Amino acid sequence: MMEGHVRGQYEKEVAVVTGGNRGIGLEICKQLASKGVTVVLTARDEKRGAEAVKNLASQGLSNVLFHQLEVGDLSSAARLADFIREKFGKLDILVNNAAIAGSKTEISNPESFKLELAGMNAQEKLERIRRHTTDPYDKAEECLRTNYHGTKIVTEALLPLLHLSSHGRIVNISSRFGLLRFFSGEELKKELNNINNLSVERLDELSELFLKDFENGQLEPHGWPVEGGYPAYKVSKALANACSRIIAKKHPTLCINCVHPGYVNTDMNFHTGVLTVEEGTRGALILALLPKGGMTGAYLDCTEVASFVVAVVTGGNRGIGLEICKQLASNGITVVLTARDEKRGAEAVSTLGLSNVVYHQLEVSDPSSAARLADFIKEKFGKLDILVNNAGITGTTSNVGDLETFRQELAGMDDLMERIQTINKHITEPYEEAEKCLSFLFCSPHPMEGLLTCHLTMDYSGSILLQFFSGDELKEELNNIDSLSEQRVDELSELFLKDFKDGQLEARGWPKEGGFISYKESKALANAYSRILAKEHPSLCINCVHPGYVETDMNFQVGHLTVEELS
Ligand SMILES: NC(=O)c1ccc[n+]([C@@H]2O[C@H](COP(=O)([O-])OP(=O)(O)OC[C@H]3O[C@@H](n4cnc5c(N)ncnc54)[C@H](OP(=O)(O)O)[C@@H]3O)[C@@H](O)[C@H]2O)c1
């Protein structure tokens, strides 16, 4: 063990930090080393790097060693990989920190400029710096080469060594400027957000296209981020973010995440940042020291999870909804678990114990509750990527006597239909329950940008489901999406309830046989509604899914599938 080496939990871990000779990178080296991690501090300049290591050693941190690394240079990255392989045989943590601003700022007297900025907030400071800044092409090119290609080059060189760790982690130091909200082109935003269709090769192409548009003065018409300046920095960080997500998907055993450090007092912003380097490295430290199986593909805004993908799950406090929340969250998605009951919702969130699941109240049949949820999402995330409309009720009341005995009776039946028929004998379908069942339908949050709606319904498509309807005309109407409107679906819901009240269900062709009448009706209307919405919003993916007969409270826990199997 080296002299001054800190013993502890992380003693056997090895980290590489790029651009470690100053600013945030240097502080990350210091923090990791003081936790006992062996740190390979890298810098493009031998002298600056060696000085930084000497400086840390003088603070008692002798578990830091230097290796040269120019991040944009393939052979430099390969030499670093050889060194790590030979010396340690594996790598546990890679922090991709090195970056440049990609612009030219000329401040004649930095000291008086600092005084001029004193008392201003972060936004005002950035605007004032901007007045002294230009964006020449050569800087833009260097910026893409360092921030995007450099991150990729180092990651690719060290990935094999990260796989030799018991749980490799990559931390990409990103920036708020890399968020897609700075892009003006909707198509470009969508393409960069849709990781499932994106490849690293396409990101390389986009990097080329950006530089070409830069040279030809075509940034604005082609939707690149122009307003507020720093276009190359913004694009480089957005491409690095997308690359991080693609690699996280490809390497699910590693934890690969991004973090925006905040506006940190470093050379990059002429020491005008509002956070100290200690404060600016907290998020990076969380990600660097994630436990095995920790989150991946996510994005921290300082220390808070602000994932790239945000999902809302209705009725998320138990059953299928809770499992969907769990599965989405374990895939790095920020989940807003909603429940009508505050206490049950909060309990579900704490049971999951995942930092990227938040609770929000939602009674799906209450438009004002849905509007409050929409406001919350707009404010907190600015967008929604996934909506899972899961909340539902059966529209029945049951009288099964002792629940456990009833469950055992059902569990003894192999035949699914036999189970359902037995349940049928114990249920009644009062009008009030039918009304509640139908009211679950139409108050789900309205589609927002990038929204994917997924109704959990009785069967795969409206036409299959309609087999439960006895009236052919009704079936045809509900199946013929081209002539159906949202208003007509609302009307049909009203008509159904009226016929229910008047005892006219059978006569009018509504589903009657086999019970669960309003449940069938509500799901058939939800399917039709989903298909209408899908047609109206062709840029969104709006689909229905029948989860199977899943063990949940809805069927007295006697489904054929477990909640894990459904996902
Ligand atoms: N400071 C902020 O407010 C802020 C906000 C958001 C995001 N960030 C991000 O935080 C990270 C660190 O920024 P910082 O504020 O600490 O910046 P900084 O003080 O300017 O330090 C940048 C570091 O990157 C190194 N570097 C630049 N190009 C390199 C290359 N081609 N190869 C190897 N190393 C290279 C620099 O080395 P040299 O000394 O040789 O130049 C330096 O060590 C960056 O990714 C930045 O985008 C910072």
Side-chain angles (χ1 to χ4, degrees):
M1 191 179 81
M2 282 172 269
E3 194 196 341
H5 189 131
V6 185
R7 281 183 179 279
Q9 191 185 349
Y10 304 108
E11 206 187 346
K12 294 201 172 91
E13 305 225 322
V14 182
V16 161
V17 180
T18 71
N21 58 297
R22 61 185 165 107
I24 294 172
L26 177 61
E27 183 63 24
I28 294 172
C29 291
K30 183 175 161 186
Q31 298 284 342
L32 287 175
S34 48
K35 297 222 174 286
V37 177
T38 299
V39 178
V40 181
L41 180 158
T42 71
R44 54 181 160 179
D45 183 276
E46 296 262 358
K47 194 161 162 267
R48 287 200 290 269
E51 260 167 30
V53 170
K54 207 168 128 197
N55 187 315
L56 291 178
S58 73
Q59 296 174 45
L61 298 167
S62 54
N63 50 337
V64 182
L65 45 143
F66 171 69
H67 199 280
Q68 195 274 345
L69 175 67
E70 157 59 60
V71 294
D73 178 355
L74 279 168
S75 63
S76 175
R79 279 196 300 277
L80 172 69
D82 289 345
F83 168 76
I84 306 276
R85 189 176 302 110
E86 224 163 82
K87 190 151 181 82
F88 304 106
K90 57 132 193 189
L91 178 66
D92 302 287
I93 304 162
L94 165 63
V95 183
N96 284 310
N97 161 79
I100 58 165
S103 51
K104 196 168 165 195
T105 303
E106 281 174 304
I107 289 160
S108 49
N109 186 338
E111 272 318 304
S112 71
F113 185 63
K114 247 179 129 174
L115 287 176
E116 195 183 318
L117 262 53
M120 290 183 185
N121 66 29
Q123 190 55 35
E124 288 165 343
K125 283 180 178 180
L126 281 169
E127 275 163 19
R128 191 57 66 92
I129 295 174
R130 186 68 209 151
R131 288 188 202 165
H132 298 262
T133 305
T134 52
D135 301 301
Y137 177 79
D138 60 332
K139 287 277 170 199
E141 202 182 20
E142 190 188 345
C143 184
L144 268 291
R145 201 178 341 119
T146 307
N147 303 4
Y148 165 60
H149 292 282
T151 300
K152 201 186 71 178
I153 286 171
V154 176
T155 301
E156 280 167 1
L158 296 177
L159 264 171
L161 289 162
L162 285 157
H163 277 293
L164 296 174
S165 159
S166 62
H167 65 298
R169 286 140 278 166
I170 302 178
V171 183
N172 293 312
I173 309 295
S174 183
S175 166
R176 202 180 66 89
F177 273 173
L179 296 179
L180 297 176
R181 69 177 65 155
F182 292 103
F183 284 63
S184 61
E186 288 306 321
E187 284 302 313
L188 206 49
K189 270 196 231 187
K190 251 185 214 155
E191 182 172 9
L192 282 168
N193 198 30
N194 189 354
I195 289 305
N196 293 332
N197 290 340
L198 209 56
S199 66
V200 175
E201 291 70 33
R202 178 61 185 155
L203 293 181
D204 290 352
E205 252 173 53
L206 286 171
S207 161
E208 291 302 316
L209 279 175
F210 167 76
L211 289 174
K212 195 164 158 273
D213 286 342
F214 197 113
E215 221 169 3
N216 298 332
Q218 292 296 308
L219 290 185
E220 199 154 7
H222 289 171
W224 300 105
V226 173
E227 226 188 277
Y230 308 104
Y233 185 75
K234 287 171 179 164
V235 170
S236 71
K237 291 292 184 180
L239 295 182
N241 283 349
C243 188
S244 172
R245 296 173 66 192
I246 293 171
I247 297 178
K249 251 191 87 191
K250 255 196 213 153
H251 301 269
T253 56
L254 305 179
C255 293
I256 304 175
N257 299 290
C258 296
V259 57
H260 163 56
Y263 187 33
V264 186
N265 202 11
T266 69
D267 294 345
M268 191 172 260
N269 49 38
F270 309 93
H271 291 271
T272 56
V274 293
L275 300 178
T276 63
V277 281
E278 290 87 349
E279 289 165 332
T281 50
R282 281 185 196 147
L285 260 282
I286 293 175
L287 296 177
L289 301 176
L290 275 176
K292 200 177 172 106
M295 70 181 148
T296 188
Y299 177 93
L300 287 196
D301 186 341
C302 295
T303 53
E304 224 180 273
V305 182
S307 147
F308 295 112
V309 184
V310 182
V312 161
V313 180
T314 72
N317 57 299
R318 61 187 161 105
I320 296 175
L322 181 63
E323 181 63 22
I324 294 172
C325 291
K326 187 173 152 195
Q327 300 278 342
L328 290 175
S330 344
N331 281 291
I333 293 170
T334 292
V335 178
V336 183
L337 180 158
T338 72
R340 52 184 159 177
D341 183 274
E342 298 263 354
K343 192 162 162 266
R344 289 200 291 269
E347 266 168 18
V349 170
S350 89
T351 311
L352 288 179
L354 299 166
S355 58
N356 49 338
V357 180
V358 292
Y359 167 71
H360 199 280
Q361 196 275 344
L362 175 67
E363 163 56 63
V364 293
S365 60
D366 174 3
S368 67
S369 172
R372 279 195 299 279
L373 172 68
D375 286 346
F376 166 77
I377 291 170
K378 219 176 278 168
E379 204 168 288
K380 191 153 175 85
F381 306 107
K383 61 147 187 181
L384 178 63
D385 301 284
I386 301 171
L387 167 63
V388 183
N389 281 317
N390 160 74
I393 56 171
T394 57
T396 59
T397 55
S398 60
N399 182 1
V400 296
D402 178 56
L403 196 57
E404 210 25 64
T405 321
F406 185 60
R407 251 185 222 145
Q408 274 166 18
E409 185 188 336
L410 292 173
M413 300 168 192
D414 284 338
D415 182 37
L416 175 64
M417 278 325 288
E418 196 185 345
R419 285 186 188 181
I420 294 176
Q421 275 157 12
T422 310
I423 293 174
N424 263 346
K425 286 185 202 146
H426 293 269
I427 58 163
T428 50
E429 309 198 37
Y431 176 76
E432 305 72 52
E433 289 299 317
E435 206 174 22
K436 267 195 241 163
C437 188
L438 269 290
S439 74
F440 260 62
L441 244 182
F442 302 107
C443 300
S444 47
H446 287 292
M448 290 181 220
E449 193 194 342
L451 174 88
L452 178 128
T453 309
C454 168
H455 290 279
L456 284 174
T457 69
M458 260 298 264
D459 226 313
Y460 296 104
S461 80
S463 52
I464 295 174
L465 186 71
L466 297 176
Q467 74 196 35
F468 294 110
F469 284 66
S470 58
D472 284 338
E473 263 183 42
L474 207 48
K475 270 196 224 185
E476 213 173 294
E477 182 172 9
L478 276 169
N479 204 25
N480 188 356
I481 289 304
D482 292 331
S483 317
L484 207 57
S485 66
E486 261 178 66
Q487 292 74 1
R488 179 61 184 154
V489 177
D490 284 350
E491 253 174 53
L492 287 170
S493 162
E494 291 301 318
L495 277 173
F496 168 81
L497 287 173
K498 192 167 168 291
D499 287 343
F500 194 113
K501 221 173 198 171
D502 300 343
Q504 292 296 310
L505 288 182
E506 200 148 8
R508 296 275 159 80
W510 300 108
K512 182 80 178 70
E513 227 165 80
F516 295 98
I517 308 156
S518 38
Y519 184 70
K520 287 170 181 164
E521 171 67 11
S522 72
K523 294 293 186 182
L525 294 185
N527 280 352
Y529 175 62
S530 170
R531 295 174 68 195
I532 293 168
L533 267 191
K535 259 193 76 190
E536 268 172 18
H537 302 271
S539 63
L540 307 180
C541 301
I542 302 179
N543 300 292
C544 297
V545 59
H546 164 52
Y549 192 43
V550 184
E551 258 177 21
T552 69
D553 293 346
M554 198 174 246
N555 51 30
F556 308 97
Q557 298 286 348
V558 292
H560 281 170
L561 299 171
T562 63
V563 281
E564 289 86 6
E565 280 167 319
L566 88 102
S567 57

